[in-house]
Amino acid sequence: MTALDDAMDCCRPDWSQEFRSWLKSLIKLSFDSAVLKNDDQWYEVVNGVPTGGINSVDCGNIALFFVLKKLVYSRKPQSLVSVDRFVDDISGQGKGCINTITSWIESVRCEMVSTYKLDITYEVKPITEYTQFLDIQYRFQEGKLTTDLFRKPTDANRYLEFSSFHPPHTFRSIVFSQALRYRRIVNDDDILKTRLEELATYFQRSSYPVNMVREVMDEVRSKPRVLGYKDSSKSPSVFTPWVVTYGAGYSETKDKAKEVNEIISNARTWSNTPASQIPTLQVVTRRAPNLKDTLFKRKKLALGSCTSSTVPCTKPGEKKKGRPCMTCSLVSGTTSVTNNDITIRTQGGDCKTRNIVYSATCQLCQKNNVYVGKSVCTLSQRVNGHRAKFYELCDSFRGDENFSVVGPGDISDENVLGAHIFTVHNKKEKSDFNSCFIFDILARSSPQDIRKCEQFYIDKLRSLYPFGLNNIKSISG
């Protein structure tokens, strides 16, 4: 947390103390909540940052920078020429004998362990021997820099099997990208040739055609070694996309597009236009429907056509431990909801159903009496939240008899139901809530789409005020 404070002081001095405290408490909560599972056994993290956590890399990076700033950057010895770091991988160059540099690194390591409880592993080599940094190893021979690829001993060198059901260009792209990576890392042509031969054997293990691999690698080998980024300031070429689904006829479509482009480029309209500015027709592929798409659509169609009622989570005569569910008596048990003479069927569920779009119908109103809401929690938890907000209004009224809900600014999605019966029906007793509303589950949705699903039913039932009880459009809230 000290490192996090230092990072915020240096990089975000404008953040308020309240926000900083909130952020630190949230990060601490994520660390304290981290658990691991191995062989059906659960383990709790006792010390350090949990590996694989969402914020583990960022927090580890901040912590290591803070330690290095205290022990290395602020008191760098003259013999240390440079230090490069990427997260927890560090490389540097120094002048002097190996024993002196090793002693200094060991002193830094001991201080890190004693003061910050962090440990490192290191090795010191002469400049003429390869030193590893990330996926590169480098050395100097007779003043010349030589770079080579570095692989961990545990690297299996496995790639996507050629028998996998992917478009042909996918496999060529994999070979090309890997060979191009080697071309950029290795600066010696003889070493590059050896490394590409090794890479070719790895692809052959994954059943890649030998001729295709050699063709792609020869293409890469002929390219100059370029380390910089492409100049993106140049104006992009103008083209009209021809969107097709990848499959039968794709090659013929590309050939036809070439013919059309030749006709366009030879037209008199573009005779005085630079070639890069002449519009072209470019074939763009979209993915064909896969098994996931098919199953999802079938599931959605099945759920959409399913009609069921919302029922209590406790069956008649059943006894459960703990407090009884207060929502069981408020579910309608019907298979439809009506508002403004519009009736829709419900998918239903019970009080413990999660990820839902639900409706609340006021029993005291004759029309315009439906509210549509959403919840990733259970229906009973959401209803309890509405009830609690009504209780707050009742308590405020008891404390001040002149208390009133003035207008739309005082009403939110949290207290809209309580505010409705408090102001419209003059209900000010806590027991009134359970006698005023019935609830239905309109649909079950994924958390990703639940907001859109809620807005769909708000529009379908026309439940936005004054034609219903909704006063905020969920899609923009």
Side-chain angles (χ1 to χ4, degrees):
M1 290 301 166
T2 305
L4 189 59
D5 285 329
D6 179 76
M8 289 188 288
D9 291 337
C10 294
C11 303
R12 295 293 184 269
D14 55 319
W15 282 359
S16 65
Q17 191 60 42
E18 181 182 5
F19 179 78
R20 294 186 183 195
S21 300
W22 171 81
L23 180 62
K24 288 166 59 179
S25 63
L26 196 63
I27 292 175
K28 187 176 184 304
L29 176 63
S30 70
F31 288 163
D32 295 340
S33 304
V35 290
L36 306 173
K37 185 180 181 182
N38 184 38
D39 292 337
D40 295 329
Q41 295 292 326
W42 290 93
Y43 299 90
E44 214 174 342
V45 178
V46 177
N47 189 23
V49 178
T51 302
I54 295 175
N55 54 6
S56 297
V57 175
D58 296 329
C59 292
N61 189 24
I62 291 173
L64 186 56
F65 175 79
F66 173 75
V67 173
L68 292 178
K69 184 174 73 170
K70 295 291 184 182
L71 303 182
V72 178
Y73 302 146
S74 61
R75 47 182 181 178
K76 185 167 61 175
Q78 294 182 352
S79 59
L80 187 62
V81 177
S82 65
V83 178
D84 298 297
R85 182 181 71 90
F86 185 83
V87 190
D88 61 344
D89 212 351
I90 306 171
S91 178
Q93 295 79 43
K95 297 179 179 179
C97 66
I98 291 180
N99 293 335
T100 302
I101 297 176
T102 303
S103 300
W104 175 75
I105 296 177
E106 181 62 23
S107 65
V108 172
R109 190 192 75 83
C110 293
E111 193 169 353
M112 288 177 64
V113 173
S114 61
T115 306
Y116 301 104
K117 302 295 187 276
L118 293 178
D119 199 359
I120 59 173
T121 58
Y122 64 91
E123 58 180 1
V124 181
K125 293 182 178 180
I127 201 171
T128 56
E129 296 183 12
Y130 278 118
T131 300
Q132 175 262 331
F133 181 63
L134 299 176
D135 59 347
I136 303 172
Q137 53 181 353
Y138 63 94
R139 67 179 178 180
F140 288 87
Q141 283 185 317
E142 299 178 356
K144 180 183 177 181
L145 174 65
T146 302
T147 57
D148 194 3
L149 181 74
F150 173 79
R151 294 193 204 92
K152 290 185 178 181
T154 55
D155 189 352
N157 298 303
R158 298 293 297 178
Y159 298 96
L160 178 68
E161 284 288 335
F162 194 77
S163 58
S164 177
F165 190 72
H166 284 75
H169 65 263
T170 301
F171 304 102
R172 293 184 64 91
S173 299
I174 293 174
V175 178
F176 183 85
S177 62
Q178 288 299 311
L180 187 62
R181 170 173 165 257
Y182 279 45
R183 186 73 181 94
R184 289 172 175 167
I185 291 176
V186 182
N187 66 349
D188 185 273
D189 289 340
D190 294 333
I191 300 177
L192 175 64
K193 182 179 179 181
T194 303
R195 296 292 176 256
L196 289 180
E197 289 175 355
E198 294 174 355
L199 180 63
T201 60
Y202 301 148
F203 281 116
Q204 291 172 23
R205 292 178 191 172
S206 299
S207 307
Y208 282 65
V210 177
N211 292 336
M212 184 196 77
V213 174
R214 287 179 179 174
E215 179 185 343
V216 174
M217 289 189 175
D218 289 341
E219 178 187 353
V220 172
R221 193 182 289 112
S222 64
K223 290 179 175 293
R225 183 170 179 260
V226 180
L227 301 180
Y229 294 99
K230 289 184 178 180
D231 185 9
S232 59
S233 61
K234 297 180 180 178
S235 57
S237 59
V238 181
F239 70 92
T240 301
W242 184 353
V243 183
V244 298
T245 301
Y246 182 82
Y250 171 71
S251 300
E252 291 78 2
T253 304
K254 290 187 67 175
D255 294 338
K256 184 60 67 176
K258 290 180 181 179
E259 295 178 12
V260 174
N261 288 332
E262 289 181 4
I263 296 173
I264 294 175
S265 61
N266 294 327
R268 287 187 299 173
T269 307
W270 311 103
S271 59
N272 297 325
T273 306
S276 60
Q277 297 300 314
I278 297 177
T280 59
L281 190 65
Q282 184 171 324
V283 178
V284 180
T285 58
R286 63 182 170 216
R287 178 176 57 80
N290 58 19
L291 183 61
K292 177 183 176 182
D293 298 330
T294 304
L295 292 177
F296 177 77
K297 289 180 180 178
R298 297 292 181 270
K299 177 182 177 183
K300 193 169 185 180
L301 288 172
L303 290 177
S305 61
C306 173
T307 300
S308 181
S309 60
T310 306
V311 298
C313 62
T314 305
K315 298 179 181 179
E318 181 183 4
K319 292 184 179 180
K320 292 185 177 180
K321 295 181 180 180
R323 298 175 59 184
C325 175
M326 298 180 65
T327 308
C328 286
S329 60
L330 304 184
V331 295
S332 70
T334 61
T335 59
S336 63
V337 173
T338 302
N339 187 55
N340 296 315
D341 296 325
I342 300 172
T343 300
I344 62 172
R345 296 179 299 175
T346 62
Q347 290 185 11
D350 60 29
C351 308
K352 302 303 180 184
T353 305
R354 300 174 182 270
N355 300 322
I356 56 171
V357 174
Y358 65 95
S359 67
T361 305
C362 177
Q363 300 287 81
L364 305 179
C365 297
Q366 299 299 321
K367 61 179 181 177
N368 303 335
N369 59 341
V370 172
Y371 166 83
V372 176
K374 66 180 182 299
S375 177
V376 295
C377 302
T378 63
L379 175 63
S380 61
Q381 289 175 314
R382 185 58 172 151
V383 173
N384 290 343
H386 285 302
R387 188 186 292 108
K389 289 296 181 180
F390 176 67
Y391 287 178
E392 291 180 8
L393 295 177
C394 294
D395 292 338
S396 299
F397 176 74
R398 286 196 183 92
D400 180 8
E401 293 187 357
N402 296 322
F403 170 80
S404 64
V405 181
V406 179
D410 299 322
I411 300 175
S412 66
D413 270 349
E414 297 293 328
N415 66 2
V416 61
L417 298 183
H420 171 72
I421 60 175
F422 186 89
T423 57
V424 177
H425 301 295
N426 199 30
K427 298 294 184 180
K428 297 180 172 60
E429 296 296 329
K430 292 184 177 181
S431 58
D432 292 334
F433 184 89
N434 289 351
S435 61
C436 292
F437 293 102
I438 57 172
F439 292 84
D440 291 275
I441 295 177
L442 301 177
R444 297 183 288 263
S445 175
S446 66
Q448 180 182 359
D449 299 326
I450 195 168
R451 293 170 65 85
K452 293 181 181 179
C453 186
E454 178 194 26
Q455 187 62 42
F456 171 80
Y457 281 98
I458 290 175
D459 295 339
K460 194 168 185 178
L461 284 169
R462 299 178 185 174
S463 63
L464 199 63
Y465 182 83
F467 304 107
L469 303 185
N470 286 89
N471 70 324
I472 296 175
K473 277 202 171 184
S474 171
I475 201 68
S476 59

